[in-house]
Amino acid sequence: MRRTGLSLFLLFIFALMGELSHAQESVRPFEGDYYNEEYQVYLHLNFYEKNMEVSGQEYLGPLPGYFSTKRDTRLWMIVEADVVGPTKAHSTFINDFGSEDFEASLEINKDGALTLKRLSGSVLKIVVDNKYVKLPKEVTFRRN
């Protein structure tokens, strides 16, 4: 009887821990890596601690995140990020040369995807086959 009670108690604790880790992940949607397969681009985020180090951009210090691509070494750093609700955030991006910037909103959709919407400023561009390609005003990412 004692063993059964202890086993049930431990089972309950492990189940609760699993639920808590899942709940914590959903509570911090603006942390982690997101990927868009169509454009082969990534968003690396930590809007809570704002402690991401970007290789080659150390002079900027820790950042809330950055945007990178699979096909190119150019980056867009997120220099400002504010979580304004459970599923919404605003951010400011600058390119790795500091010559272009844009304001964007990020929103977590009901299916868990993240939509980046450029609000103002420069057009987000990536290099594909040695040519600049402009990304649309809205790009949807999935957790990587």
Side-chain angles (χ1 to χ4, degrees), residues 35 37 39-42 68-73 126-127:
Y35 181 67
E37 192 169 336
Y39 296 103
Q40 298 179 0
V41 293
Y42 296 91
S68 64
T69 72
K70 211 173 193 179
R71 304 174 185 159
D72 187 21
T73 60
I126 61 172
V127 175

Side-chain angles (χ1 to χ4, degrees), residues 9-23:
F9 177 72
L10 289 174
L11 184 62
F12 173 74
I13 294 296
F14 287 127
L16 184 60
M17 288 172 58
E19 287 297 318
L20 288 175
S21 69
H22 177 70

Side-chain angles (χ1 to χ4, degrees), residues 27-39:
V27 171
R28 296 173 64 103
F30 300 105
E31 179 179 32
D33 297 323
Y34 289 86
Y35 181 67
N36 176 283
E37 192 169 336
E38 179 181 358
Y39 296 103

Side-chain angles (χ1 to χ4, degrees), residues 102-116:
F102 67 91
E103 301 285 321
S105 68
L106 291 90
E107 186 167 351
I108 303 297
N109 305 328
K110 291 182 183 189
D111 65 354
L114 181 144
T115 299
L116 170 74

Side-chain angles (χ1 to χ4, degrees), residues 64-118:
Y66 62 99
F67 173 95
S68 64
T69 72
K70 211 173 193 179
R71 304 174 185 159
D72 187 21
T73 60
R74 292 175 184 86
L75 302 170
W76 287 80
M77 275 70 60
I78 302 170
V79 292
E80 292 180 22
D82 296 308
V83 177
V84 295
T87 60
K88 292 185 180 186
H90 288 106
S91 57
T92 302
F93 289 71
I94 62 168
N95 68 355
D96 50 358
F97 297 111
S99 60
E100 297 182 80
D101 65 347
F102 67 91
E103 301 285 321
S105 68
L106 291 90
E107 186 167 351
I108 303 297
N109 305 328
K110 291 182 183 189
D111 65 354
L114 181 144
T115 299
L116 170 74
K117 181 178 182 183
R118 187 174 45 83

